[in-house]
C-alpha cells in the first residue's frame, strides 16, 4: 500500500456522522440540513436537454484536451465575465469538476525529491480550507503549512505568518476566493503580494474559484475578482505560475455533471495535459456538449444568484440577532461564531445539541480547519450551507435563534 494514504484525515462529514451517531434528533421537527455544501436548486432544463441530445458522442473516446468547441465556450465566458482574452488552444483545459483538478494539479506540480534536508516540498493552504488541498499535497509527497484566517480582516488568510524559510520550500499555494467556508473574496492588493512571493520563490498558485458566481451585491465591482483577472490588472498577462479552477457545479446547479475547467499559464496547462492524458481524465463527449451549453448561457446564472440573494437577505438578519455572523462577500455559506456563553463556545457541542433539540444539521467549524500556531481558526464557529429552499432555510434560522435564546 502507498504509505502516504495513512496520512489522510477523515472527511468533515465523516467526523460529523461520528459526532452525531448517538444523537436522537427531535422527532417533532422535520430534519433540515445546512451541513453539506451541495447545490439543491434544480438543474436548468436546457442543460439536461443538451446532455441527452449529445448521447451519440458516447460511441467515441474523447480527447483529454476536450473538443475545441467546449474550450471556445469557456474562453468566451472568461471574456464576458472577466474581460480576458484567453487562448482556448493553449490556456484552457476541461476538467471533471474542480475537485479532481485541484487534486491532480498537485500531482503534476510537486517535485517530492526537492528540499529533502528541509522536510520536503511545501504546499501552503488557507485555514480553514477545502480538505482536498491537504490530501492532494500529502499524496504528492509534500508537507502542508497553513495560513490562519483572520476574523478581524474579513477572514483573510494571514500569509505574512508564513516564514521566508517556508516560502523557500513552497512549490504550490492553494487560494480559495470566494472562500469556503468564509465567503471572503481576495482583493487586488492581496493578489499582488502573492504574485510577488510566487515570483521570488517560484511556486505555482492554484486559484479555486468555484463559488465565483454566487454573490449578493449588485452594480460595478460586485462580482468577485478572479485570479486571472487580478493578474491581468497587474500587468501579468502571461499568467506565469498561475492557474484558475472553475466549475459548473454551483454556477449551474450541476454537481452531478462533474464539469469545470482550468485556465492560465500555458506552460502549466501543457504539463497538466500530459499528466491528465496518463491519468485518464478526459471528459465524456456528452458532458462536454452540455457544459458548452451551460457556459454559453448567463440567464440561468442570474436567476440562480437571485435565489441565493433572497435567502441570504432573509436569513442573515435573523441569525445576526443571536450570533456573530454577517453577509459574506460571496459563496453560499454563513460562517457564524457561536456565543461563548453556550456550551463553552464549542462548535462540536453546538452542532450536536442543535441537532438533538431542533433537528437542524450544521458543520462544526473546527472540522474544516487544522490547528496551526496553536489555534484552530474554525473552533467556535459553524458553517451553514444555505442550499435548501428559502422556506426551509428561514425555518432553520428561526430554530437556531430559538435554540440560542433558550440559554
Ligand atoms: C472550495 C471548493 N472547491 C472545489 C469544490 C469542488 O467542486 P466541484 O468538484 O463540484 O467543481 C468544492 C465543492 O464543494 C469546494 O467547496
Amino acid at each position: 500500500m502507498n504509505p502516504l494514504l495513512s496520512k489522510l484525515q477523515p472527511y468533515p462529514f465523516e467526523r460529523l456522522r461520528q459526532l452525531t451517531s448517538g444523537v436522537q434528533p427531535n422527532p417533532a421537527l422535520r430534519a433540515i440540513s445546512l451541513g453539506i455544501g451541495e447545490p439543491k436548486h434544480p438543474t436548468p432544463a436546457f442543460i439536461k436537454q443538451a446532455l441527452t441530445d449529445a448521447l451519440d458522442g458516447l460511441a467515441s473516446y474523447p480527447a483529454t484536451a476536450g473538443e475545441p468547441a467546449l474550450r471556445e465556450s469557456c474562453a468566451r465566458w472568461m471574456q464576458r465575465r472577466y474581460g480576458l482574452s484567453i487562448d482556448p488552444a493553449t490556456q484552457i483545459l476541461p476538467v471533471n469538476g474542480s475537485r479532481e483538478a485541484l487534486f491532480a494539479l498537485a500531482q503534476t506540480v510537486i517535485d517530492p525529491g526537492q528540499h529533502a534536508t528541509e522536510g520536503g516540498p511545501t504546499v501552503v493552504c488557507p485555514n480553514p480550507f477545502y480538505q482536498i488541498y491537504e490530501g492532494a499535497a500529502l499524496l504528492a509527497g509534500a508537507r502542508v503549512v497553513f495560513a490562519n484566517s483572520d476574523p478581524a480582516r474579513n477572514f483573510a488568510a494571514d500569509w505574512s505568518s508564513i516564514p521566508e524559510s517556508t516560502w523557500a520550500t513552497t512549490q504550490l499555494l492553494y487560494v480559495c476566493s470566494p472562500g469556503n467556508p468564509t465567503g471572503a473574496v481576495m482583493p487586488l492588493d492581496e493578489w499582488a503580494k502573492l504574485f510577488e512571493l510566487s515570483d521570488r520563490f517560484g511556486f505555482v498558485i492554484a486559484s479555486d474559484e468555484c463559488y465565483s458566481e454566487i454573490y449578493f451585491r449588485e452594480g460595478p465591482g460586485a462580482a468577485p475578482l478572479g485570479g486571472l483577472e487580478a493578474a491581468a490588472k497587474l500587468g501579468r498577462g502571461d499568467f506565469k505560475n498561475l492557474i484558475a479552477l472553475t466549475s459548473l457545479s454551483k454556477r449551474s446547479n450541476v454537481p452531478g455533471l462533474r464539469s469545470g475547467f482550468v485556465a492560465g499559464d500555458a506552460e502549466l496547462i501543457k504539463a497538466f495535459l500530459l499528466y491528465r492524458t496518463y491519468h485518464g481524465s478526459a471528459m465524456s463527449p456528452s458532458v462536454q456538449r452540455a457544459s458548452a451549453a451551460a457556459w454559453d448561457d448567463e440567464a440561468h446564472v442570474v436567476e440562480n444568484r437571485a435565489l441565493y440573494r433572497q435567502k441570504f437577505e432573509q436569513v442573515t438578519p435573523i441569525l445576526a440577532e443571536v450570533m456573530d455572523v454577517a453577509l459574506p462577500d460571496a459563496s453560499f455559506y454563513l460562517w457564524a461564531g457561536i456565543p461563548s456563553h453556550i456550551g463553552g463556545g464549542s462548535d462540536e457541542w453546538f452542532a450536536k445539541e442543535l441537532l438533538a433539540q431542533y433537528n437542524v444539521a450544521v458543520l462544526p467549524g473546527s472540522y474544516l480547519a487544522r490547528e496551526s500556531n496553536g489555534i484552530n481558526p474554525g473552533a467556535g464557529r459553524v458553517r451553514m450551507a444555505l442550499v435548501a429552499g428559502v422556506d426551509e432555510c428561514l425555518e432553520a434560522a428561526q430554530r437556531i435563534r430559538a435554540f440560542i435564546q433558550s440559554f
Side-chain angles (χ1 to χ4, degrees), residues 146-168:
F146 295 101
N148 289 347
S149 105
D150 179 359
R153 293 186 303 117
N154 189 31
F155 301 107
D158 185 8
W159 308 115
S160 69
S161 67
I162 309 283
E164 295 239 331
S165 56
T166 301
W167 286 123

Side-chain angles (χ1 to χ4, degrees), residues 269-282:
I269 298 277
K270 194 171 159 195
F272 200 32
L273 175 59
L274 176 65
Y275 174 85
R276 299 177 67 73
T277 306
Y278 279 83
H279 196 73
S281 35

Side-chain angles (χ1 to χ4, degrees), residues 356-381:
Q357 293 188 31
Y358 284 89
N359 211 346
V360 175
V362 297
L363 195 61
S366 57
Y367 292 3
L368 295 165
R370 301 279 177 255
E371 187 168 317
S372 174
N373 292 333
I375 295 170
N376 180 323
R381 293 192 169 269

Side-chain angles (χ1 to χ4, degrees), residues 37 96-100 102 130 133 176 178-180 208 210-211 246-250 255 258-259 333 383:
N96 297 312
S98 49
R99 179 181 182 143
E100 69 90 354
L102 287 160
Y130 180 52
Y133 311 155
C176 188
N180 171 3
D208 180 356
C210 68
Y211 295 97
T246 191
S247 168
L248 287 175
S249 299
K250 279 90 178 166
R258 310 310 303 128
S259 179
Y333 301 111
R383 191 190 77 176

Side-chain angles (χ1 to χ4, degrees), residues 100-283:
E100 69 90 354
L102 287 160
F103 179 84
L105 189 65
Q107 319 314 311
T108 308
V109 163
I110 300 297
D111 175 357
Q114 272 195 10
H115 307 295
T117 57
E118 299 141 298
T122 302
V123 171
V124 176
C125 289
N127 196 28
F129 62 102
Y130 180 52
Q131 192 156 321
I132 297 302
Y133 311 155
E134 178 188 57
L138 293 172
L139 288 180
R143 66 175 180 137
V144 189
V145 171
F146 295 101
N148 289 347
S149 105
D150 179 359
R153 293 186 303 117
N154 189 31
F155 301 107
D158 185 8
W159 308 115
S160 69
S161 67
I162 309 283
E164 295 239 331
S165 56
T166 301
W167 286 123
T169 62
T170 299
Q171 294 183 348
L172 178 62
L173 164 68
Y174 284 108
V175 298
C176 188
S177 174
N180 171 3
T182 66
V185 170
M186 282 198 354
L188 191 63
D189 60 344
E190 197 174 330
W191 277 108
K193 276 185 212 140
L194 294 180
F195 291 144
E196 189 269 319
L197 285 165
S198 163
D199 285 348
R200 200 140 48 98
F201 298 104
F203 59 79
V204 167
I205 302 177
S207 177
D208 180 356
E209 304 180 0
C210 68
Y211 295 97
S212 66
E213 303 317 291
I214 301 171
Y215 51 89
F216 311 107
R217 293 163 184 96
E218 283 179 76
L225 178 69
L228 301 190
E229 186 187 14
K233 279 186 195 295
L234 295 166
R236 306 169 64 93
D238 61 353
F239 312 124
K240 185 169 164 29
N241 274 337
L242 175 63
I243 195 156
L245 302 97
T246 191
S247 168
L248 287 175
S249 299
K250 279 90 178 166
R251 173 187 181 271
S252 301
N253 295 312
V254 285
L257 191 67
R258 310 310 303 128
S259 179
F261 71 87
V262 301
D265 184 337
E267 284 299 307
L268 277 174
I269 298 277
K270 194 171 159 195
F272 200 32
L273 175 59
L274 176 65
Y275 174 85
R276 299 177 67 73
T277 306
Y278 279 83
H279 196 73
S281 35
M283 183 186 284

